[in-house]
Amino acid sequence: MSHNTFGHLLRITTWGESHGLALGCVMDGCPPGIALTEADIQPWLDRRRPGQGKFVTQRQEPDAVRILSGVFSDDRTEGQVTTGTPISLIIENVDQRSRDYSEIARAFRPGHADYAYFAKYGVRDYRGGGRQSARETAARVAAGAIARKIIPGVTLRGAVVQIGPHAVDPARIDWTTVDDNPFWCPDPAMVPVWEEHLETIRKAGSSTGAIVAVEALGVPAGWGAPLYGKLDAELAGGLMSINAAKGVEIGAGFASAAFSGEENADEMRAGPEFLANNAGGILGGISTGQPVTVRVAFKPTSSILTPRRTLDEAGNEIELRTKGRHDPCVGLRAVPVVEAMTACILADAFLRHRGQTGGGAFQPGGGGRI
Amino acid sequence: MSHNTFGHLLRITTWGESHGLALGCVMDGCPPGIALTEADIQPWLDRRRPGQGKFVTQRQEPDAVRILSGVFSDDRTEGQVTTGTPISLIIENVDQRSRDYSEIARAFRPGHADYAYFAKYGVRDYRGGGRQSARETAARVAAGAIARKIIPGVTLRGAVVQIGPHAVDPARIDWTTVDDNPFWCPDPAMVPVWEEHLETIRKAGSSTGAIVAVEALGVPAGWGAPLYGKLDAELAGGLMSINAAKGVEIGAGFASAAFSGEENADEMRAGPEFLANNAGGILGGISTGQPVTVRVAFKPTSSILTPRRTLDEAGNEIELRTKGRHDPCVGLRAVPVVEAMTACILADAFLRHRGQTGGGAFQPGGGGRI
Amino acid sequence: MSHNTFGHLLRITTWGESHGLALGCVMDGCPPGIALTEADIQPWLDRRRPGQGKFVTQRQEPDAVRILSGVFSDDRTEGQVTTGTPISLIIENVDQRSRDYSEIARAFRPGHADYAYFAKYGVRDYRGGGRQSARETAARVAAGAIARKIIPGVTLRGAVVQIGPHAVDPARIDWTTVDDNPFWCPDPAMVPVWEEHLETIRKAGSSTGAIVAVEALGVPAGWGAPLYGKLDAELAGGLMSINAAKGVEIGAGFASAAFSGEENADEMRAGPEFLANNAGGILGGISTGQPVTVRVAFKPTSSILTPRRTLDEAGNEIELRTKGRHDPCVGLRAVPVVEAMTACILADAFLRHRGQTGGGAFQPGGGGRI
Amino acid sequence: MSHNTFGHLLRITTWGESHGLALGCVMDGCPPGIALTEADIQPWLDRRRPGQGKFVTQRQEPDAVRILSGVFSDDRTEGQVTTGTPISLIIENVDQRSRDYSEIARAFRPGHADYAYFAKYGVRDYRGGGRQSARETAARVAAGAIARKIIPGVTLRGAVVQIGPHAVDPARIDWTTVDDNPFWCPDPAMVPVWEEHLETIRKAGSSTGAIVAVEALGVPAGWGAPLYGKLDAELAGGLMSINAAKGVEIGAGFASAAFSGEENADEMRAGPEFLANNAGGILGGISTGQPVTVRVAFKPTSSILTPRRTLDEAGNEIELRTKGRHDPCVGLRAVPVVEAMTACILADAFLRHRGQTGGGAFQPGGGGRI
């Protein structure tokens, strides 16, 4: 990952600001011959789209994606397919509501990247956060939609597992209930608790943090490129690059610090079958064939109504409160983004594994690579 | 990061196995004219060296480093200096004690990378863990010693803050006491607790996890390369690539999920001065001038004496107990490694920042880049 | 360079096909604070634009560029400036004249990339050459326009120095005359010769090769990143990636094979001043402060009216003649492209040099880096 | 390619100076399971080795290579094989004859990289040319020996085709005679001409340029990664990075500038079979299945006995003649180096092609990828 590109053989470069003309990405290195139209991408963008409830920003963006290159169809292709050349995606910004940015244009929201961008670049597009805006994640979600088609055997599922101090009991997670509520909550009993918490937060003009969990099912053994391109290292880097992320853990993660060796070791039986998954599906940076499980911590949005002490660009000490359309819990919009980044990283790992080794995996009991 | 290289302008490629002839690294992109001899590197390796207490592996390795290239001295250089060409470092393996590997040679230790390497490559150097061995981290520590000289204004300090279930109270951390005990413990009151816990673990042939905290002081504002080369993303990826790491968090990390926006926002006063550091010194992927703070969770060593159910390469279900020289708590050796990786990533960020912008940072109150 | 991205700190990713909706590029890593509007880019595109004479394709494309991201203006910026974030450029395809592609859709033009793309990908956008089209070079020219602004001290000048068998005598080159004729010819006496040659070629439905020479004036000493990122290596790779390029040489190039050491050595006098420039301004992969001089050979366009023996996709032996709008001499459109690639590579070298060393160069006579 | 690493999935990092302790490389990304011992590498180094005739430097280096990592053998591997982890190779410098470097230590040989390195870095290892020495190419040759084993179906053959003004007639090339003379000459009739020319050069303390041609036979269609990782672009960049290289051409190269479209187009017949190979086996940056043919121009060695005007580091105008052990024709040692670089680039292209597409190529007549 460098600047605005991530991936190695499958490389995604995103661009665009919150209130510019458009945003988008270029996906380079996609295998040829994969069926792909806008209809394969749009549903994932719709899942991420703001303006769908009272707990997310009221900005109304259709987030309609267009494919500008890298696909082709004629009478022999059975529909539109990828050609192996770069796929350029564009999403126009529509609802850049005219407003007065004069306050944040010259001041640094505490906890926001305003000051860091100013210090580095001297100039910044402050309209809606510019390049720092979570709106950039739309491009990642679009890329993730294509990545999913590169690894059709892999299924991703995600949920919010904590909002503020209210964490879901892992034993109560029921993935089938995630879509039944507006909070991506996998425990129906937690839904009213979160609803009340968020309502309080929203009314107070405050915000709250959250934790998102994602699992990738169907990842075969052997993906990952030790030692620095380890699958878990790439996931950690990629997921930490999402706006507001402050922590990433794989499998048992931080909890494993308290484990004994006996508790931590995921025993194996014929299959191979594992009797536990503390490893989160990755050992030595290589997938084991178990579900790849990750959790990402998101801090609260820094744009809040409560006045906070800060500086303006002139160096004056001021107090600032941030008005406007903001998510009280950015984690509520992060599930599709974490899924998408995971999909992109896994697809890249698949292509690199196939490149170095020819693909497949050795099985205990022999028979070579299958 | 790809395969066995990390970094962009400052690129470190490590190589070597636990029981091969040697291990080492090539550091490429180091600025010219920096004073450098083996004496600048060896002390950091000595800090990491095993065989220094009853709670670490008894393997005796001098870990003597030699610089094979990239430095020069004559009557004008005031001692040996870097030339800007690749610096090749080598550390010979001395104590590859002859032993019987037949058991693990054909079996997969549960929780270890044995199975994943087998599945990916079909062949693996099982002697002492081969390339999976934590011994590889010696090369990172050596590279880190040079990285520190590239950013002399930055000071790194690290500690173990949790062993098993016993966590240090953050309010009790006293960095000056870390070197007074063999556990890198920053709270003298915790030392006897850990000692007893580790003694129990060791006698049981078991192992335990740990959490390591590292702070980088003196990092100026402006380092980091949004959006995917964010400073926190690079730290997360680099630190997760360390053996046994299962989680990385920046600043308040996972705790920030429970925060409100008011709690999380680090308010600013003239200076700029920050009234808190929940951000861990990084906002929007760019350093803010505050200390950069990271925490890394390490799982327990998977090599334990307790028999565990697993498979052998022939696919048979077996029970395996791992004899030999092993660390009961790999976290005890991780502090210098986390410090070194952090140093390398910061030095690379410094060079890239200088490349894109000319270096320095804009200050509130004007005057341009200083 | 990988897939569709070139550059290291300054990274340019191009996308788009000849007859798709649009083409464009993302320039990542541009320093902040550089004045930039479409008016800085459009003139360079206009220089490259086809449809400007009877010896280039009659396709009429306005090649109007739009900047979609990475710039900002407010009342403090003195016009629109770069922000340091990715600059996305788009050029819409307008004149994708409807025509019958059935012949080349299923056949391989000899000397064209048709067969190679088919063999690699199985599917290809044959409309106007798709991704293989020289139309892609518009994106490079647009990127080059920005690169020029990153290194304002560097001036690029280019010319065609050979068309078919008719080569300009180096001793007769007069750079001031290049714009006085439609052939980028630096020798007025050669203009009628080329005109007659091209008229013959055009009438015959044939095509001809050419050689383009470009010089970069004002490149200071010290740019380049030995050993594999050598400045001449990057130029060779970047320029060979232009459509139809078959050879690249630096300075005296292939002629130096016939030289003696005495003839080849560019002697130096105080300044430093060089008494010759066989090196083409690069020694050991590092710029010397002399003009950087390169020459690129372009083969004839493979789309000709003369029937040629070839295969169709079904494997049948056929004869093929290529109708449609084609350049009889692709070299006539290559000058702005070679200039642009050179500018991009030099700008990237400048940023990397500044990153590793802080910039500047040591001068004989001392005083350190200036 | 960046700094001292080339390649993408197969990455080779070289290090070392002419008169340091050793030189070597790390090859990363090699597929696992390939039989490999020092005996596979040493013969290629022996071919490159100086001290083998009166027309090459008299420095006596055994160039004995040792493999330090990345290989393994036990009772199941049928000999030593690669493991997929980094292969570290080391070649110790033995004959660093003590001599007086005071003259070139403070002066810049005209035509040599002395001045450029000084300007960039301020400090340089002038002993034997330091990092600029052609001795570095030993590491490339060693890497190339492994690359050949990754693509066993590809055969490389190289020759010197021009020394000074004496060029071999392409029609007279007989590859079977290359090893029958000390000049890698493929035309027996040219051998005495070159011998006399070189004897004259040597006696005069002068030097001469040369052109090397290399062909890769057995490259299947489909390798290469358009648009900037084109196979010809990668070859041009990689070969231009060899010491003293000043030009690279593919296929007909610069001669194609004089061609008409009819002459240039390589017609195709069933097979596919090509009736000519002006393309040099590459179209659109992708291999066609024909032999890949490249030619590289090498300038004369700049170290000559004839006094030349130059500067010293203090800025004084001086005259310099270079004594010591030097090759009168560096091209005579370049054939194994050009072959090795070509092998490395092809092996990397193979792995990337397999990664993106699964490998193989589509054939006219159908049946899909084979």
Side-chain angles (χ1 to χ4, degrees):
Chain A
M1 304 206 304
S2 65
H3 293 322
N4 293 277
T5 299
F6 64 96
H8 299 257
L9 274 190
L10 185 70
R11 302 164 67 80
I12 294 117
T13 302
T14 74
W15 55 269
E17 284 84 30
S18 173
H19 283 53
L21 296 172
L23 58 86
C25 69
V26 183
M27 174 179 272
D28 197 8
C30 182
I34 296 175
L36 183 72
T37 69
E38 279 91 350
D40 294 304
I41 305 172
Q42 195 62 49
W44 303 103
L45 283 166
D46 293 344
R47 290 179 80 216
R48 191 210 72 97
R49 200 152 60 86
Q52 303 194 99
K54 65 180 174 181
F55 300 122
V56 293
T57 174
Q58 292 308 301
R59 178 170 176 180
Q60 295 294 337
E61 282 289 353
D63 280 353
V65 67
R66 279 193 304 149
I67 304 176
L68 297 179
S69 67
V71 291
F72 186 66
S73 66
D74 70 2
D75 53 334
R76 288 167 297 177
T77 56
E78 301 180 31
Q80 185 168 276
V81 297
T82 61
T83 60
T85 62
I87 301 168
S88 178
L89 303 177
I90 190 169
I91 298 166
E92 288 181 45
N93 288 323
V94 173
D95 182 19
Q96 314 111 300
R97 190 176 304 177
S98 162
R99 47 165 294 204
D100 178 7
Y101 284 106
S102 59
E103 194 160 49
I104 64 162
R106 287 164 167 70
F108 309 122
R109 280 166 287 179
H112 202 278
D114 290 336
Y115 169 65
Y117 268 71
F118 167 79
K120 185 177 188 75
Y121 299 117
V123 58
R124 65 198 162 93
D125 183 346
Y126 41 74
R127 299 167 303 159
R131 183 70 180 152
Q132 320 156 33
S133 169
R135 185 148 176 68
E136 181 270 346
T137 59
R140 307 186 191 213
V141 170
I146 304 176
R148 290 172 197 257
K149 303 201 75 169
I150 298 174
I151 45 173
V154 174
T155 303
L156 290 151
R157 63 184 185 191
V160 176
V161 294
Q162 182 177 331
I163 291 184
H166 307 292
V168 169
D169 178 352
R172 293 183 51 88
I173 288 181
D174 176 355
W175 291 98
T176 65
T177 68
V178 170
D179 292 338
D180 298 343
N181 64 83
F183 310 120
W184 309 85
C185 181
D187 174 9
M190 184 59 80
V191 172
V193 180
W194 286 0
E195 184 157 23
E196 185 181 337
H197 180 67
L198 286 166
E199 187 65 23
T200 308
I201 288 287
R202 190 180 65 84
K203 286 184 177 159
S206 183
S207 61
T208 181
I211 295 178
V212 167
V214 162
E215 297 190 359
L217 312 178
V219 177
W223 294 5
L227 209 62
Y228 300 112
K230 282 177 168 177
L231 188 54
D232 38 3
E234 304 242 320
L235 286 167
L239 298 175
M240 192 68 97
S241 79
I242 299 173
N243 305 50
K246 296 304 286 184
V248 180
E249 57 186 5
I250 308 291
F254 276 87
S256 66
F259 286 178
S260 70
E262 288 76 9
E263 291 167 311
N264 185 66
D266 303 325
E267 293 182 296
M268 297 178 74
R269 297 284 78 184
E273 180 195 358
F274 292 85
L275 305 184
N277 190 14
N278 289 304
I282 304 173
L283 286 169
I286 302 170
S287 61
T288 62
Q290 288 198 282
V292 172
T293 65
V294 298
R295 285 159 47 98
V296 187
F298 292 93
K299 68 179 182 185
T301 321
S302 53
S303 299
I304 51 177
L305 284 174
T306 314
R308 297 276 92 188
R309 288 172 290 177
T310 189
L311 298 180
D312 65 17
E313 286 192 11
N316 302 307
E317 298 190 336
I318 59 169
E319 289 214 337
L320 185 69
R321 56 195 294 269
T322 313
K323 289 156 289 193
R325 303 167 295 177
H326 297 292
D327 291 295
C329 178
V330 73
L332 283 184
R333 296 221 338 254
V335 173
V337 184
V338 175
E339 284 182 15
M341 286 299 287
T342 302
C344 290
I345 290 164
L346 288 171
D348 186 33
F350 158 63
L351 297 180
R352 279 188 285 163
H353 175 62
R354 184 164 70 175
Q356 189 186 5
T357 71
F362 286 88
Q363 304 292 320
R369 198 177 288 280
I370 63 169
Chain B
M1 305 205 303
S2 64
H3 291 324
N4 293 277
T5 299
F6 64 96
H8 300 254
L9 275 190
L10 185 70
R11 301 165 65 80
I12 294 118
T13 302
T14 74
W15 55 269
E17 283 87 29
S18 174
H19 283 54
L21 296 172
L23 58 88
C25 69
V26 182
M27 175 179 272
D28 196 7
C30 183
I34 296 175
L36 182 71
T37 69
E38 278 92 350
D40 293 304
I41 305 171
Q42 195 61 49
W44 303 103
L45 283 167
D46 293 345
R47 288 179 82 215
R48 191 210 72 97
R49 198 153 61 86
Q52 300 194 100
K54 65 180 172 181
F55 299 122
V56 293
T57 173
Q58 293 307 300
R59 181 170 173 178
Q60 294 295 333
E61 283 288 352
D63 278 353
V65 67
R66 279 193 304 150
I67 303 175
L68 297 179
S69 67
V71 292
F72 186 66
S73 66
D74 70 2
D75 54 335
R76 289 166 297 177
T77 56
E78 301 180 32
Q80 185 168 279
V81 297
T82 59
T83 60
T85 62
I87 302 168
S88 177
L89 304 177
I90 190 169
I91 298 166
E92 288 182 44
N93 287 324
V94 173
D95 182 19
Q96 314 110 298
R97 190 177 302 176
S98 162
R99 49 163 291 205
D100 178 7
Y101 283 105
S102 58
E103 195 161 48
I104 65 163
R106 286 166 169 68
F108 309 122
R109 282 165 287 179
H112 202 277
D114 290 336
Y115 169 66
Y117 268 71
F118 167 79
K120 184 177 188 74
Y121 299 117
V123 57
R124 64 198 164 94
D125 182 347
Y126 41 73
R127 299 168 302 158
R131 183 71 180 152
Q132 320 157 33
S133 169
R135 186 150 175 65
E136 181 270 348
T137 60
R140 307 185 191 214
V141 169
I146 304 175
R148 289 171 197 259
K149 304 202 75 171
I150 298 172
I151 44 172
V154 173
T155 303
L156 290 151
R157 63 185 186 192
V160 176
V161 294
Q162 181 177 332
I163 291 184
H166 307 292
V168 170
D169 178 351
R172 292 183 52 88
I173 288 181
D174 177 355
W175 292 99
T176 67
T177 69
V178 169
D179 292 338
D180 299 342
N181 65 79
F183 310 119
W184 309 85
C185 181
D187 173 8
M190 185 59 79
V191 172
V193 179
W194 285 0
E195 184 157 23
E196 185 181 335
H197 180 67
L198 286 166
E199 186 66 22
T200 307
I201 289 286
R202 190 181 66 83
K203 284 185 176 158
S206 183
S207 62
T208 182
I211 295 178
V212 167
V214 162
E215 297 191 1
L217 313 177
V219 177
W223 295 3
L227 211 65
Y228 300 112
K230 281 179 167 177
L231 188 53
D232 39 2
E234 304 242 321
L235 286 167
L239 298 175
M240 191 69 97
S241 78
I242 299 174
N243 306 52
K246 296 305 286 184
V248 180
E249 57 186 5
I250 309 292
F254 276 87
S256 66
F259 286 179
S260 70
E262 288 76 10
E263 291 167 312
N264 185 65
D266 304 325
E267 292 182 297
M268 297 179 73
R269 297 284 78 184
E273 180 196 356
F274 291 85
L275 306 183
N277 190 14
N278 290 304
I282 304 173
L283 286 169
I286 302 171
S287 61
T288 61
Q290 287 198 282
V292 171
T293 65
V294 298
R295 285 159 47 99
V296 187
F298 292 93
K299 68 180 181 184
T301 322
S302 52
S303 300
I304 51 177
L305 284 173
T306 313
R308 297 275 93 186
R309 288 172 291 177
T310 189
L311 298 180
D312 64 18
E313 285 191 11
N316 302 309
E317 298 190 335
I318 60 169
E319 289 214 337
L320 185 69
R321 58 195 293 269
T322 314
K323 289 155 289 191
R325 303 168 295 177
H326 297 291
D327 291 295
C329 176
V330 73
L332 283 184
R333 291 208 357 242
V335 173
V337 183
V338 174
E339 285 182 15
M341 286 300 286
T342 302
C344 290
I345 290 163
L346 288 170
D348 186 32
F350 159 63
L351 297 180
R352 278 187 286 162
H353 176 62
R354 185 165 69 176
Q356 189 186 5
T357 70
F362 285 87
Q363 305 292 320
R369 201 176 285 280
I370 65 168
Chain C
M1 304 207 303
S2 64
H3 292 321
N4 293 278
T5 299
F6 64 96
H8 300 257
L9 275 189
L10 185 70
R11 302 164 66 80
I12 294 117
T13 302
T14 73
W15 55 269
E17 285 84 30
S18 173
H19 283 53
L21 296 172
L23 57 87
C25 69
V26 182
M27 174 179 273
D28 196 8
C30 182
I34 297 175
L36 183 71
T37 69
E38 278 92 351
D40 294 304
I41 305 172
Q42 195 62 52
W44 303 103
L45 283 167
D46 293 344
R47 291 179 80 216
R48 190 209 73 97
R49 202 150 60 85
Q52 301 195 100
K54 65 180 173 181
F55 300 121
V56 293
T57 173
Q58 292 309 301
R59 178 171 174 179
Q60 294 294 335
E61 282 289 353
D63 279 354
V65 68
R66 279 193 304 149
I67 304 176
L68 296 179
S69 67
V71 292
F72 186 68
S73 66
D74 70 3
D75 54 333
R76 290 166 296 176
T77 56
E78 300 180 30
Q80 185 169 278
V81 297
T82 60
T83 60
T85 62
I87 301 168
S88 177
L89 303 177
I90 190 169
I91 298 166
E92 288 181 44
N93 288 324
V94 173
D95 182 18
Q96 315 112 296
R97 190 176 305 176
S98 162
R99 48 164 292 204
D100 178 7
Y101 283 106
S102 59
E103 193 160 49
I104 64 163
R106 285 164 169 69
F108 309 122
R109 281 165 287 179
H112 202 278
D114 290 336
Y115 169 66
Y117 268 71
F118 167 80
K120 185 177 187 75
Y121 300 116
V123 58
R124 64 198 164 92
D125 183 346
Y126 41 75
R127 299 167 302 159
R131 183 70 181 152
Q132 321 157 31
S133 168
R135 185 147 177 68
E136 180 270 347
T137 60
R140 306 186 192 214
V141 169
I146 305 176
R148 290 171 198 257
K149 302 202 75 170
I150 299 173
I151 45 173
V154 173
T155 303
L156 290 151
R157 62 184 187 193
V160 176
V161 294
Q162 182 178 329
I163 291 183
H166 307 291
V168 169
D169 178 351
R172 293 183 50 87
I173 288 181
D174 177 355
W175 292 98
T176 66
T177 68
V178 170
D179 293 336
D180 299 343
N181 65 82
F183 310 119
W184 309 84
C185 181
D187 174 9
M190 185 59 79
V191 172
V193 180
W194 287 0
E195 184 158 22
E196 185 182 336
H197 180 67
L198 286 166
E199 187 64 22
T200 308
I201 288 287
R202 191 181 65 84
K203 285 183 177 160
S206 183
S207 61
T208 180
I211 295 178
V212 167
V214 162
E215 297 190 0
L217 312 178
V219 177
W223 294 3
L227 210 61
Y228 300 112
K230 281 178 168 177
L231 189 53
D232 39 4
E234 303 242 323
L235 286 167
L239 298 175
M240 192 69 96
S241 78
I242 299 173
N243 306 50
K246 296 306 286 185
V248 180
E249 58 185 5
I250 309 292
F254 277 87
S256 66
F259 286 179
S260 70
E262 288 77 9
E263 291 167 310
N264 185 67
D266 302 326
E267 293 182 296
M268 297 178 75
R269 297 284 78 184
E273 181 196 357
F274 291 85
L275 305 183
N277 190 14
N278 290 303
I282 304 173
L283 286 169
I286 303 171
S287 61
T288 62
Q290 287 198 283
V292 171
T293 65
V294 298
R295 285 158 47 99
V296 187
F298 291 93
K299 67 179 182 186
T301 321
S302 53
S303 299
I304 51 177
L305 284 173
T306 314
R308 297 275 93 188
R309 287 172 290 176
T310 190
L311 297 180
D312 64 17
E313 287 192 10
N316 302 309
E317 297 190 337
I318 59 171
E319 289 215 337
L320 186 69
R321 56 195 294 268
T322 313
K323 289 155 290 192
R325 304 166 295 176
H326 296 291
D327 292 295
C329 177
V330 74
L332 282 185
R333 298 229 328 263
V335 173
V337 183
V338 175
E339 285 182 15
M341 285 300 287
T342 303
C344 290
I345 290 163
L346 288 171
D348 186 32
F350 158 63
L351 297 180
R352 278 187 287 162
H353 176 62
R354 184 164 71 175
Q356 189 186 5
T357 71
F362 286 87
Q363 304 292 320
R369 198 175 288 281
I370 66 169
Chain D
M1 303 205 304
S2 65
H3 292 323
N4 293 277
T5 298
F6 64 96
H8 300 255
L9 274 190
L10 185 69
R11 301 165 66 81
I12 294 118
T13 302
T14 74
W15 56 269
E17 283 86 29
S18 173
H19 283 54
L21 296 171
L23 59 86
C25 69
V26 182
M27 174 180 272
D28 196 8
C30 182
I34 296 175
L36 182 71
T37 69
E38 278 92 349
D40 294 304
I41 305 172
Q42 195 61 50
W44 302 102
L45 283 166
D46 294 345
R47 291 178 80 217
R48 191 209 72 97
R49 200 151 60 85
Q52 301 194 101
K54 65 180 172 181
F55 299 121
V56 292
T57 174
Q58 294 306 301
R59 180 172 174 178
Q60 295 293 334
E61 283 288 353
D63 279 353
V65 67
R66 279 193 304 150
I67 303 174
L68 296 179
S69 67
V71 291
F72 186 67
S73 66
D74 71 2
D75 54 335
R76 288 166 298 177
T77 56
E78 301 181 32
Q80 186 168 277
V81 297
T82 59
T83 60
T85 63
I87 302 168
S88 177
L89 303 178
I90 190 169
I91 299 166
E92 289 182 43
N93 287 324
V94 173
D95 183 18
Q96 314 112 299
R97 191 177 303 177
S98 163
R99 50 164 290 206
D100 179 8
Y101 283 105
S102 59
E103 195 161 49
I104 64 162
R106 285 165 169 69
F108 308 121
R109 282 166 286 180
H112 202 276
D114 290 337
Y115 169 65
Y117 268 71
F118 167 80
K120 184 177 188 75
Y121 299 117
V123 58
R124 62 197 164 96
D125 183 346
Y126 41 74
R127 299 167 303 158
R131 183 69 180 151
Q132 320 157 33
S133 170
R135 187 151 174 65
E136 181 270 347
T137 59
R140 306 185 192 213
V141 170
I146 304 176
R148 290 171 197 259
K149 304 202 75 170
I150 298 172
I151 44 172
V154 173
T155 303
L156 290 150
R157 63 185 186 192
V160 176
V161 295
Q162 182 177 330
I163 291 184
H166 307 292
V168 169
D169 178 351
R172 291 184 52 88
I173 288 182
D174 176 356
W175 291 98
T176 66
T177 68
V178 170
D179 292 337
D180 298 341
N181 65 80
F183 309 119
W184 309 83
C185 181
D187 174 8
M190 185 58 80
V191 172
V193 180
W194 285 2
E195 184 157 25
E196 185 180 335
H197 180 67
L198 285 166
E199 186 66 22
T200 307
I201 288 287
R202 191 182 66 83
K203 284 184 177 160
S206 183
S207 61
T208 182
I211 295 178
V212 167
V214 162
E215 297 189 0
L217 313 177
V219 177
W223 294 5
L227 208 63
Y228 300 110
K230 281 178 168 177
L231 189 54
D232 39 3
E234 303 242 321
L235 287 167
L239 298 176
M240 192 68 97
S241 78
I242 299 173
N243 306 51
K246 296 305 287 184
V248 180
E249 56 185 6
I250 309 291
F254 277 87
S256 65
F259 287 178
S260 70
E262 288 76 9
E263 291 168 312
N264 185 65
D266 303 324
E267 294 181 296
M268 297 178 74
R269 297 282 81 184
E273 182 196 356
F274 291 85
L275 306 183
N277 190 14
N278 290 305
I282 303 173
L283 286 169
I286 302 171
S287 61
T288 62
Q290 286 198 282
V292 171
T293 65
V294 298
R295 286 159 45 99
V296 187
F298 292 94
K299 69 180 181 185
T301 322
S302 53
S303 299
I304 52 176
L305 284 174
T306 313
R308 297 276 92 187
R309 288 172 292 176
T310 189
L311 298 180
D312 64 18
E313 285 191 11
N316 302 309
E317 297 190 335
I318 60 170
E319 289 214 336
L320 185 69
R321 56 194 293 269
T322 313
K323 290 156 287 193
R325 304 168 293 177
H326 296 292
D327 291 296
C329 177
V330 74
L332 283 184
R333 292 209 354 243
V335 173
V337 183
V338 175
E339 284 182 13
M341 285 301 286
T342 302
C344 290
I345 289 162
L346 289 171
D348 187 30
F350 159 63
L351 297 180
R352 278 188 286 162
H353 175 63
R354 185 164 68 176
Q356 189 186 4
T357 70
F362 286 88
Q363 304 291 321
R369 199 176 286 282
I370 64 167

